Amino acid sequence: MSPPDIPLEILREPQSEPEPEPEQDFTTPPPRPDEAMLYGVIGDIARAGSEGREVNPVAVAASAISWLSARVGPFHYLRIGDARHPVIINTLHVGRSAIAGKGESVALMKRIEHRLRGGSLFNESDLLGLTDSGLSTSEGLAMLVHDGCRDGKEEVPPVEDKRLWMLEEEFGGVLEKMKREGNALSASLRELFDGGSIRPKIKTSRLFATHPHYACHACITPFELREKLDGNSIHNGLANRHLVLWAERTCLVPVPPETDGSVVASLAEHLTRIITFAKGRYPGERMAEVITMTPEAEALYRQEYPSLKARDPMGATVTVLLERRPTITLRLAALFALSDRQIRITETHLEAALAWSRYHRDSVRFIFGGDAKARQQAIQGSQHREKALGYLRKAGEWVGRADLVKGAFSNRIKADDLTDVLQGLLADGQVERDERPNPNNPGTKTLYRIAPAKTAKPAKTSETQGSRGSCSPAKTGETRREVRHGTAPGLADLAPVRKPADPHETTDFADLADLAPSDCAKPGDDPDVEVF
């Protein structure tokens, strides 16, 4: 049978080529604010300071958060495991020069403080504590909140109220000073964030400051931050002890209005009531009353915790800068609770804190994700991790590198890239590695598999005896629940979190530590316990 005739016009038609696969978009968008961020008095201040003006309400709220965290003092605290955390929040406002509105963002807080101090920012105030600027050295910082010193032959009495708010509108200069040889400012700032003290270890400086309650609001341009924040400051924990926030003007207003005096007065009165409640019996007592969580807030925090701790897909630098997101989130939630004159964190308080935490994460990604090539490598590395994990989960047994290359990547991954992927998964405890004799060749064969889920042992109490809490493979029959979060990368096999014995019991955060604590400190025990 002869083939059917094909019309000539069809033969002449150009053959359509397959559509190319869409290119991946490696741009990083700026952070988008959530209405939940503007909670309570912080939201009132942000709206009052930004409505009808160019300034971003996030920037106004950031200055209010650090200001209030300094004013509430260390009478109330959070307990996470054995560590006692003061409600201290350092904020870092990042934006381009002349666009960020750094000066305008703190203008309303200055007016409020001016009123609370009775008409002058230099007036002493039992309600507020201290305000200053010009960070330079550890010794200079200690002088503001010292334990007593000598001025020539005269004895200078100690500063009893050590609450201190620092305003640094040119933080780039502070970062430069930290690089000078012998400057211990960075170490002191890290210590103060953890609730510690300034205690120089050199004979020429015996100026001590025990447990200052220090918080700072700083401003810097993105160029300065990337240029002056060296690798040491990134990896030693100085940078990730700040709530980093990108904020620039939202509109153009040629003649912005002044906040009405009655609004300033109302906000000042509201803050007075909050600070009076939160300050408690300080400076006579510190770390006296613990802030707890409601069962609903605890359930929400347990749900969100894996995403707060997850390795960020934007790479190692962003991951390190976000390492303290869980701690900062809990401190924000505690501050929102105190702003309602409560010492129990509710679900609403935590939701507001989580909204700030997401904005913080997106700000860091936007600021430090500007290198398109590095961003592309980081995202592709994260995708490789997911492919490797997916294959290992499906295999359910030990597999070799060759199996991974073929099964997970269809032979389309470089040896060095696979090594980087496996190294990261091993460091995170998501996979295990083993070496076994190779039956076909001399030497050994390296194998990998998904790491078994782990659970923390119960904390030792007066009723139970045993070794200090540690992580061990979960046993059959143990009470546990898997915690997963759909948006976090590589979280399908995270270790379970211990379930509280009584879901209606108040949580004091000791149950939320990575490792179960042993003999947790109780409120009132040794107020000078250092935290970390």
Side-chain angles (χ1 to χ4, degrees), residues 94-123:
V94 184
R96 291 169 292 180
S97 181
I99 303 176
K102 302 181 183 74
E104 182 69 13
S105 67
V106 298
L108 180 56
M109 283 313 308
K110 287 181 177 179
R111 285 190 64 191
I112 293 172
E113 178 159 352
H114 188 274
R115 182 179 182 87
L116 289 172
R117 289 189 183 275
S120 173
L121 293 175
F122 300 101
N123 290 345

Side-chain angles (χ1 to χ4, degrees), residues 41-42 45 63-76 87 109 112-117 125-131 161 163-165 213 266-283 285 334-343:
V41 70
I42 299 298
I45 294 170
S63 66
I65 284 172
S66 67
W67 185 92
L68 186 58
S69 78
R71 303 314 182 199
V72 298
F75 183 77
H76 296 96
V87 186
M109 283 313 308
I112 293 172
E113 178 159 352
H114 188 274
R115 182 179 182 87
L116 289 172
R117 289 189 183 275
S125 171
D126 292 336
L127 176 72
L128 300 181
L130 303 167
T131 296
D161 188 343
R163 292 173 297 154
L164 172 63
W165 184 57
H213 188 82
S266 176
L267 291 171
E269 291 174 9
H270 192 177
L271 289 168
T272 297
R273 293 191 293 271
I274 293 170
I275 296 169
T276 301
F277 166 81
K279 182 170 175 275
R281 296 182 295 277
Y282 181 79
E285 296 180 50
L335 185 66
F336 290 135
L338 291 176
S339 73
D340 284 340
R341 288 179 284 173
Q342 299 177 16
I343 58 171

Side-chain angles (χ1 to χ4, degrees), residues 48 53 108 111 257-265:
R53 301 168 182 81
L108 180 56
R111 285 190 64 191
E258 182 183 50
T259 303
D260 189 85
S262 63
V263 174
V264 176

